[in-house]
Amino acid sequence: MIVETHGLTKAYRRLEAVHGVDLRVEEGSAFALIGPNGAGKTTLLQLLVNLLQPSSGAASVLGVDSRRLGATDFARIGYVAESQQLPGRLTVGQFFDYLRPFYPTWERALENELRETMRLPAGREIRRLSHGERMKTALASALPFRPRLLILDEPLSGLDPLARDELMEGVLKQAGETTVVLSSHELAEIEHAVTHVGFLDSGQLEFQESSSDLAARVREVRVLLEGAAAVPARTPETWLDVRAAGNVLTFVETRYSEATLGERVRSCVAGVRRIDADALPLRATFVALARAARSRSAATTVEP
Ligand code: ATP
């Protein structure tokens, strides 16, 4: 594993932003860390690059304890975050001149290609760039040394659709050679580029699995009934977002099995005429999971 954490926890005073996380990222994968606002994604990524230190537990990155990562390790790790500070008084050209000597593996041709594709204005001071241009500058500076590990926190934020597509294509091209861990809310854009997904909620990693396993187990189910549909009083815990409209009952099954779905549906509702189960895009999977997580936390929150 190129990234492995054990019981990783980070508390900001009484708030545990990351709680007991056991993350495992395989070398060569493109791992998407997804989760609602405030779930702890940024905190987790900052722990991996030693911008934050754990309150308990540990993270191993490229085989090194994250607290001991040194200059030689950082020469193989690219990190780009929306909140990242860049030296505003330097021009784009000066910024690249400054960075190159830190990285023995820096490829000038790749740098030139990235700067050209992203149309970065060489002579302009970084503080005068637009938000999107600043993100592109940060991204373009994290790739020319072909990092073994690329950590991207909300890399698509502020980028126009063409730039988003180009970035995700770039990530795809690097897959295999570079391991990518990224957090993003732009799920439709990242869906086809990522190989693994981890869902973080209230600081806890609810699951981590390959995109294909996730797509196979989460299905949108549509049940056509003989009579009017109503939401059953009791449904399996793995059914999310159960709705009734006309003669149709719909829900998201998070433990789909072709062999048992019919039997499970018939044990909850009578008069079933037809059942369809379709794959769900990552965005819709996220919405169902996040909605379920929110109603779970509302149910456990005791009003003062
Ligand atoms: P988003 O998707 O909105 O960017 P996120 O998943 O990246 O959210 P984090 O930024 O890691 O979430 O924040 C996790 C929690 O920790 C939030 O409740 C946030 O308010 C809190 N938090 C983050 N940084 C600090 C800090 N420096 N001090 C106190 N609390 C913090």
Side-chain angles (χ1 to χ4, degrees):
M1 294 292 154
I2 192 160
V3 174
E4 194 165 357
T5 74
H6 295 282
L8 192 64
T9 298
K10 173 67 189 176
Y12 296 113
R13 296 172 187 257
R14 279 164 51 200
L15 173 82
E16 283 198 346
V18 168
H19 178 79
V21 165
D22 296 326
L23 179 73
R24 289 189 313 279
V25 180
E26 284 172 29
E27 178 123 38
S29 59
F31 189 108
L33 192 60
I34 65 173
N37 288 133
K41 302 179 293 297
T42 293
T43 304
L44 178 52
L45 297 181
Q46 289 186 342
L47 286 165
L48 298 184
V49 290
N50 201 25
L51 282 173
L52 289 173
Q53 289 72 49
S55 310
S56 61
S60 152
V61 176
L62 300 175
V64 179
D65 185 311
S66 61
R67 284 164 293 198
R68 299 205 165 73
L69 288 167
T72 48
D73 304 306
F74 283 116
R76 297 182 300 159
I77 302 174
Y79 172 73
V80 176
E82 199 191 1
S83 55
Q84 201 166 352
Q85 296 287 322
L86 297 178
R89 285 178 187 280
L90 295 188
T91 63
V92 172
Q94 287 167 339
F95 179 51
F96 279 88
D97 292 343
Y98 164 79
L99 288 176
R100 258 178 246 121
F102 288 102
Y103 299 93
T105 57
W106 191 280
E107 285 177 32
R108 191 64 195 258
L110 180 56
E111 174 200 323
N112 293 345
E113 187 189 319
L114 289 159
R115 287 174 58 178
E116 205 169 299
T117 319
M118 297 197 190
R119 295 163 181 260
L120 301 179
R124 197 167 309 159
E125 283 181 356
I126 289 178
R127 61 181 168 164
R128 305 207 186 281
L129 296 178
S130 73
H131 172 73
E133 287 169 338
R134 245 193 320 268
M135 283 303 289
K136 287 184 188 175
T137 303
L139 286 161
S141 70
L143 297 172
F145 58 98
R146 297 201 185 271
R148 230 181 110 197
L149 176 64
L150 186 56
I151 296 183
L152 306 173
D153 188 4
E154 287 286 345
L156 304 182
S157 131
L159 298 192
D160 67 55
L162 175 61
R164 286 174 184 207
D165 279 7
E166 283 174 350
L167 174 69
M168 290 324 292
E169 271 166 34
V171 168
L172 267 182
K173 254 191 251 163
Q174 299 238 348
E177 187 182 342
T178 297
T179 305
V180 183
V181 181
L182 64 91
S183 82
S184 182
H185 293 297
E186 318 298 339
L187 304 185
E189 267 107 338
I190 65 168
E191 174 157 23
H192 301 294
V194 301
T195 60
H196 290 75
V197 177
F199 184 80
L200 200 65
D201 180 50
S202 304
Q204 305 202 28
L205 193 60
E206 298 285 334
F207 65 78
Q208 56 188 323
E209 61 195 303
S210 72
S211 309
S212 52
D213 285 354
L214 179 65
R217 79 170 169 88
V218 181
R219 291 291 163 108
E220 182 175 44
V221 180
R222 231 177 99 83
V223 183
L224 181 64
L225 299 168
E226 277 157 12
V231 174
R234 288 180 68 83
T235 52
E237 272 186 5
T238 59
W239 292 11
L240 308 180
D241 227 356
V242 186
R243 291 162 194 248
N247 283 12
V248 178
L249 185 74
T250 57
F251 60 89
V252 173
E253 169 61 282
T254 55
R255 284 267 165 254
Y256 172 72
S257 146
E258 194 182 349
T260 58
L261 179 67
E263 187 189 314
R264 275 157 73 84
V265 168
R266 286 185 181 85
S267 70
C268 293
V269 280
V272 174
R273 281 178 58 188
R274 185 192 157 121
I275 303 173
D276 292 302
D278 295 317
L280 212 55
L282 185 59
R283 188 183 182 286
T285 300
F286 174 89
V287 170
L289 291 167
R291 196 175 275 143
R294 200 171 54 189
S295 53
R296 264 200 316 272
S297 86
T300 52
T301 303
V302 180
E303 291 296 324

